[in-house]
Amino acid sequence: MNGFCLVTPASRGIGFALAKHLLQHTNTPVVATARRDCEGTRQRLLDGIPGDKNLHVLPVDVTDESSIAALAAHIRHHFRNTPLRLALTMPGVLHVEKSPAQIDAENALDSFKVNTLGPLLLLKHLTPFLPTRSSPSLKRMEGCLPGHAVYAMMAARVGSISDNRLGGWYSYRASKAAVFQLAKTLDAYLQASSGERAMAVALHPGTVRTDFTREFWDGGAREMLEPDEAAAKLLQVLCELDMAYGRGRCWDWRGEEVVP
């Protein structure tokens, strides 16, 4: 088996679109997660897709490490000696704070639990499944999967300190800024453990028409992408990234770097 893919969460929005795209365009097994109604998520992901697809949908709440550990145990059991070739980790929550007076301690803590600690715990449990220097080479799949493993985390342009011109969104900006650092730090580890077999990156999907961005649908964003379009563009970017230059950085859906 030439590896498996993982998308977490995949119950709706961009995560759902990414998992659906992988199922539509590859025969690679896909592990997806949802906080609830895993069977419903599985049925929606497979709807309209012919053939017998190898899809596992598991319950994961990134604020509960035991659920992530259970995900890892499932992978060890069902994908023994099979490398993780593409991980798309994208937990996210937004509590809007337009002024300092609107900062709420519980909401801010929730932002960091989901947006920062969640990706941190995911990489803790999922990194062991990435190929090492001694692993066999992966086969490139045109248009969908590169010839090396990629561990991708969902960042956001508003997490860029150098790009922050408008202010606001204090806890969301701060918690997403940490994702740039997580991607860079994990990639430094992978350079030593995996060499050219695996790299880590952060991704910015643009403003995607999902429930997460509903308040910006009426002209609040310069460019609005549909989830399917954003998913296809992000996967194409991952296929075209140069290993020597692209690793450890944050890339948007156009293949342009988002600097920290």
Side-chain angles (χ1 to χ4, degrees), residues 32-99:
T33 77
R35 291 183 64 189
R36 59 183 68 88
D37 191 19
C38 290
E39 183 55 33
T41 298
R42 174 181 171 80
Q43 292 176 3
R44 290 187 295 113
L45 283 170
L46 293 176
D47 184 42
I49 298 179
D52 185 17
K53 295 293 183 177
N54 190 346
L55 170 64
H56 301 238
V57 182
L58 302 171
V60 169
D61 178 345
V62 296
T63 65
D64 177 5
E65 186 175 1
S66 66
S67 71
I68 301 174
L71 167 66
H74 179 95
I75 292 172
R76 278 192 297 271
H77 178 73
H78 290 275
F79 295 95
R80 190 179 302 276
N81 300 321
T82 302
L84 172 57
R85 67 172 302 152
L86 177 62
L88 298 163
T89 64
M90 55 200 66
V93 67
L94 169 62
H95 299 289
V96 175
E97 306 122 343
K98 296 182 179 179
S99 72

Side-chain angles (χ1 to χ4, degrees), residues 41-252:
T41 298
R42 174 181 171 80
Q43 292 176 3
R44 290 187 295 113
L45 283 170
L46 293 176
D47 184 42
I49 298 179
D52 185 17
K53 295 293 183 177
N54 190 346
L55 170 64
H56 301 238
V57 182
L58 302 171
V60 169
D61 178 345
V62 296
T63 65
D64 177 5
E65 186 175 1
S66 66
S67 71
I68 301 174
L71 167 66
H74 179 95
I75 292 172
R76 278 192 297 271
H77 178 73
H78 290 275
F79 295 95
R80 190 179 302 276
N81 300 321
T82 302
L84 172 57
R85 67 172 302 152
L86 177 62
L88 298 163
T89 64
M90 55 200 66
V93 67
L94 169 62
H95 299 289
V96 175
E97 306 122 343
K98 296 182 179 179
S99 72
Q102 293 179 325
I103 297 172
D104 175 83
E106 289 300 318
N107 285 343
L109 183 60
D110 186 50
S111 293
F112 281 95
K113 281 183 175 180
V114 175
N115 299 337
T116 305
L117 185 59
L120 188 64
L121 293 175
L122 285 168
L123 73 85
K124 170 187 174 180
H125 289 276
L126 296 176
T127 300
F129 300 109
L130 292 168
T132 64
R133 286 179 177 272
S134 61
S135 299
S137 297
L138 295 169
K139 296 179 181 178
R140 179 180 176 86
M141 299 181 68
E142 287 297 329
C144 293
L145 298 172
H148 52 262
V150 178
Y151 192 103
M153 310 174 201
M154 195 62 72
R157 190 177 298 279
V158 296
S160 167
I161 296 173
S162 60
D163 191 63
N164 185 355
R165 294 182 293 272
L166 299 176
W169 293 19
Y170 293 83
S171 62
Y172 185 72
R173 284 186 186 274
S175 61
K176 280 297 188 179
V179 178
F180 288 74
Q181 186 69 279
L182 290 179
K184 180 67 174 180
T185 305
L186 177 58
D187 188 69
Y189 170 82
L190 293 178
Q191 288 186 52
S193 65
S194 302
E196 299 296 302
R197 296 283 195 266
M199 70 176 181
V201 297
L203 295 174
H204 170 56
T207 304
V208 184
R209 193 182 300 276
T210 65
D211 290 341
F212 193 82
T213 61
R214 185 174 293 276
E215 67 176 280
F216 309 111
W217 287 9
D218 298 325
R222 290 177 296 175
E223 184 175 2
M224 182 77 69
L225 300 175
E226 296 299 325
D228 292 347
E229 181 183 11
K233 288 180 179 294
L234 287 174
L235 289 171
Q236 188 63 36
V237 167
L238 292 181
C239 281
E240 295 175 355
L241 278 183
D242 178 79
M243 171 68 83
Y245 175 76
R247 61 186 311 155
R249 302 169 185 259
C250 181
W251 303 95
D252 72 9

